[in-house]
Amino acid sequence: MENESGQGDGDRSLAPAVTRAVAVLDMLAANREESFGPSELGRRLGIAKSSVSNVCHALAQGGLLRQVDGEYCLGQRLVEYGEAYLAGVDLVQQFHAACLELAEDEEETLQLAVLDGSDVVYLARRGGGHPIRLVSEVGRHLPATCTAVGKAMLATLSERELAERLGTDQELPRLTANSVRTRAELDWQLSEIRARGYAVDDEEAGEGIFCLAGTVSTRSGTTAAVSVTLLKARHSREREQRLVALLRTLVRDLAGRLGSTGVRG
């Protein structure tokens, strides 16, 4: 319920209109395949319809939202902001530079991600010769335990850090029937990753998708992960070994560009 300033009871923002705008953008980003009218947005956010209408109108004027049949969805201007941000991120720039050093006819998709709590967020992608429809779009958050990049990064953490990120629940979120189910199963996989030097996602994040990933540290000490992704139908033991070599080449090159010594892959 809103107070007289138009904010929720627990909201003490010094700029309530900005706070409401962020809440609207967060809601639409979390439901990116849907659009909502002011009434529904207000109901979900606990904000008066009149306040939501004003915020949405202003955001649409600025290109941050797009209005379709009286409902709102995210606007094109957000892509421009995202591209401008990523262009200034050294990690992303160096990832693209490292990808250029690989064979031009490389067929598989390469991705870059970092940890965000118990999720991974994808920062960049280089498409391969075989187009793949992935759930891991740039900017998308996915449960770390369901992805090769996520498990590769989790394998670098201490038990205390794992507990802080994953909590105490023994059941883990799942994206497919093949996703790791429990902490015990995850702990076994992380042990395997540490011994093998790279992580595997065998249709755990998306059906029909096979992925390998390794990690590299940035200058600031942040751990990132790079992956090689292909259709499961194209997977073979021989191709996997070739892609492991490709992954290790990419990890070493990116580590060198970042001045990093902490490398796995």
Side-chain angles (χ1 to χ4, degrees):
M1 183 174 179
E2 291 193 337
N3 57 34
E4 293 180 356
S5 66
Q7 302 166 240
D9 290 337
D11 189 351
R12 295 295 182 266
S13 171
L14 297 177
V18 175
T19 300
R20 289 193 291 269
V22 171
V24 168
L25 292 171
D26 283 346
M27 175 63 68
L28 293 174
N31 300 274
R32 64 185 66 192
E33 296 181 358
E34 300 180 66
S35 59
F36 300 103
S39 295
E40 179 62 15
L41 283 170
R43 185 187 69 79
R44 293 189 178 213
L45 296 172
I47 301 173
K49 176 184 175 182
S50 58
S51 297
V52 174
S53 295
N54 291 335
V55 167
C56 289
H57 180 70
L59 290 173
Q61 283 187 317
L64 299 175
L65 295 185
R66 182 165 53 92
Q67 187 175 19
V68 180
D69 297 329
E71 297 187 334
Y72 292 94
C73 54
L74 298 178
Q76 179 68 27
R77 192 72 176 273
L78 291 169
V79 177
E80 298 172 13
Y81 288 152
E83 290 176 346
Y85 168 75
L86 292 177
V89 177
D90 185 55
L91 176 60
V92 172
Q93 292 176 323
Q94 298 304 334
F95 168 77
H96 285 301
C99 288
L100 290 175
E101 294 298 318
L102 299 175
E104 292 184 0
D105 61 349
E106 179 54 51
E107 298 178 328
E108 316 306 347
T109 297
L110 307 175
Q111 295 185 97
L112 171 71
V114 293
L115 280 175
D116 182 11
S118 61
D119 290 347
V120 294
V121 56
Y122 290 85
L123 301 182
R125 177 192 298 179
R126 194 215 70 172
H130 291 271
I132 302 178
R133 182 177 178 84
L134 298 172
V135 295
S136 51
E137 303 170 1
V138 173
R140 185 77 179 270
H141 286 69
L142 292 178
T145 57
C146 298
T147 68
V149 287
K151 290 188 291 183
M153 289 185 282
L154 291 176
T156 68
L157 303 180
S158 67
E159 289 299 322
R160 179 182 59 79
E161 291 171 319
L162 281 172
E164 289 175 351
R165 288 183 180 272
L166 301 180
T168 59
D169 290 343
Q170 295 304 303
E171 293 293 324
L172 299 174
R174 300 174 64 194
L175 295 178
T176 74
N178 293 319
S179 300
V180 59
R181 294 175 171 82
T182 66
R183 280 295 303 276
E185 184 180 353
L186 175 66
D187 289 342
W188 180 84
Q189 288 195 16
L190 296 182
S191 177
E192 289 289 299
I193 292 167
R194 295 181 188 110
R196 185 174 53 220
Y198 62 91
V200 175
D201 162 9
D202 190 355
E203 298 189 277
E204 295 175 60
E207 294 181 0
I209 301 297
F210 186 90
C211 187
L212 306 170
T215 60
V216 60
S217 296
T218 67
R219 291 187 184 93
S220 65
T222 300
T223 298
V226 292
S227 65
V228 183
T229 304
L230 68 155
L231 292 171
K232 174 68 173 180
R234 299 185 63 248
H235 174 264
S236 67
R237 186 61 182 170
E238 293 74 21
R239 178 169 280 121
E240 180 176 336
Q241 292 306 307
R242 184 181 69 80
L243 295 180
V244 168
L246 172 70
L247 177 66
R248 286 176 170 153
T249 296
L250 177 59
V251 165
R252 284 194 298 268
D253 189 359
L254 182 56
R257 293 172 182 276
L258 294 171
S260 169
T261 56
V263 181
R264 290 186 64 84

